[in-house]
Amino acid sequence: MGTTECTEWIDLGFVERERTPHELIEKGIRHHLAELSLSDTVILLDESGVERSRTAVHNWVQKADLQPTGGESADRFAVDQKSIRVNDEEYWLYAAVNPETNRIQHARLFPTYMIPIGREFLTELCEKHDVSDAVFLVDDAADLAGALRREGLEYRVEIHGYRNQVERVFQEVQRRTSSFSNCFSNADPQTADTWLQAHTVWWNHA
C-alpha cells in the first residue's frame, strides 16, 4: 500500500492535543494495520523525522475506534470462525464476508464457539446489514449451521467456491498476528477485538 493513499476512513478527532502531524499519525495507523509490527512502525515514523514509542502507535489505533460500516446488502455471505490466541488463551474470531466484493461485513471476537455464540454474531450482522434475501455459505461447522437454522436464515454448505473469500480473510489475519509477537501477547480480549475491528476497516478500504 502506498504512503499517499487516501485515509479519509481514519477519523483523527481523538488527537486534538497530539503533537504529531496528523498525516504521520494516519501513516502509522495505516501501515501498522496493513503490514508492520509496532516496532517496525516506530522505525518508519523515525525515518519520517518523528520519534514515537510503540505504546503511542498502539494507542492511536485503539483511540481511533475504527468500526466497519453497516447498511449494505448482499446475495451471499460467507461466514466462518477461526481460533485466535490472546495471551495464550483461545478465542474465536467470527467473520462474515461478501464474496462478490471481498468486504468484511462483520467481525467479532468471542471466548468460545457454540450455537448461542453463532446466533449472537448473526443477530449483530442482521442489525447492521440487509440479509433478507441472502444465502449464507458455511462449511460443516455445527455451531454456525445450527445458529443459521435457529435464526431462520437460508444457508448452504460449501467447502470451496465463494466461501474461499472468508478463508482468505482469515489467512490475512493469521499473517498479521503471526508477523509480530506484541499484538495479542500482552493484550486483553477487548484490545485484541479493537485491533481486529480496525484491521477490518483497513481491509475494506485497501
Side-chain angles (χ1 to χ4, degrees), residues 113-124:
Y113 72 98
M114 56 181 65
I115 289 178
I117 293 293
R119 295 186 70 180
E120 181 178 348
F121 173 76
L122 292 169
T123 297
E124 294 173 354

Side-chain angles (χ1 to χ4, degrees), residues 73-80 95-100 105 122 125-126 130-139 144 148-149 152-158 162-163 166:
S73 61
D75 295 329
R76 303 177 183 87
F77 286 97
V79 294
D80 205 349
V97 176
N98 180 339
E100 296 181 354
Q105 304 299 285
L122 292 169
L125 175 67
C126 293
D130 179 8
V131 303
S132 56
D133 297 322
V135 176
F136 289 81
L137 309 177
V138 297
D139 60 12
L144 279 171
L148 286 160
R149 282 196 300 271
L153 298 169
E154 184 179 356
Y155 73 94
R156 183 171 72 243
V157 175
E158 185 171 302
Y162 277 113
R163 225 191 61 79
V166 74

Side-chain angles (χ1 to χ4, degrees), residues 4-167:
T4 59
E5 185 165 340
C6 175
T7 52
E8 293 180 352
W9 48 275
I10 302 178
D11 182 2
L12 295 181
F14 68 94
V15 294
E16 292 181 0
R17 299 181 181 179
E18 173 63 58
R19 64 187 185 279
T20 308
H22 284 195
E23 62 270 19
L24 291 183
I25 295 176
E26 291 178 342
K27 182 177 183 178
I29 292 173
R30 176 161 45 83
H31 281 273
H32 176 52
L33 293 176
E35 58 186 347
L36 298 183
S37 69
L38 290 173
S39 297
D40 288 339
T41 304
V42 167
I43 293 173
L44 176 71
L45 293 172
D46 185 64
E47 292 173 347
S48 300
V50 172
E51 293 185 9
R52 290 294 177 270
S53 65
R54 295 190 308 173
T55 300
V57 176
H58 167 82
N59 288 341
W60 293 344
V61 174
Q62 293 291 310
K63 291 178 180 178
D65 192 28
L66 298 170
Q67 299 286 333
T69 58
E72 297 190 25
S73 61
D75 295 329
R76 303 177 183 87
F77 286 97
V79 294
D80 205 349
Q81 27 84 339
K82 193 75 171 181
S83 173
I84 297 290
R85 305 298 295 184
V86 180
N87 280 333
D88 293 328
E89 294 185 12
E90 191 172 45
Y91 283 76
W92 293 87
L93 174 64
Y94 280 70
V97 176
N98 180 339
E100 296 181 354
T101 64
N102 204 32
R103 288 173 60 88
I104 303 172
Q105 304 299 285
H106 188 46
R108 270 284 310 279
L109 196 64
F110 292 97
T112 186
Y113 72 98
M114 56 181 65
I115 289 178
I117 293 293
R119 295 186 70 180
E120 181 178 348
F121 173 76
L122 292 169
T123 297
E124 294 173 354
L125 175 67
C126 293
E127 290 174 349
K128 291 178 65 175
H129 303 288
D130 179 8
V131 303
S132 56
D133 297 322
V135 176
F136 289 81
L137 309 177
V138 297
D139 60 12
D140 54 358
D143 59 316
L144 279 171
L148 286 160
R149 282 196 300 271
R150 296 189 186 187
E151 292 297 315
L153 298 169
E154 184 179 356
Y155 73 94
R156 183 171 72 243
V157 175
E158 185 171 302
I159 306 301
H160 301 293
Y162 277 113
R163 225 191 61 79
N164 285 342
Q165 297 298 83
V166 74
E167 292 296 338

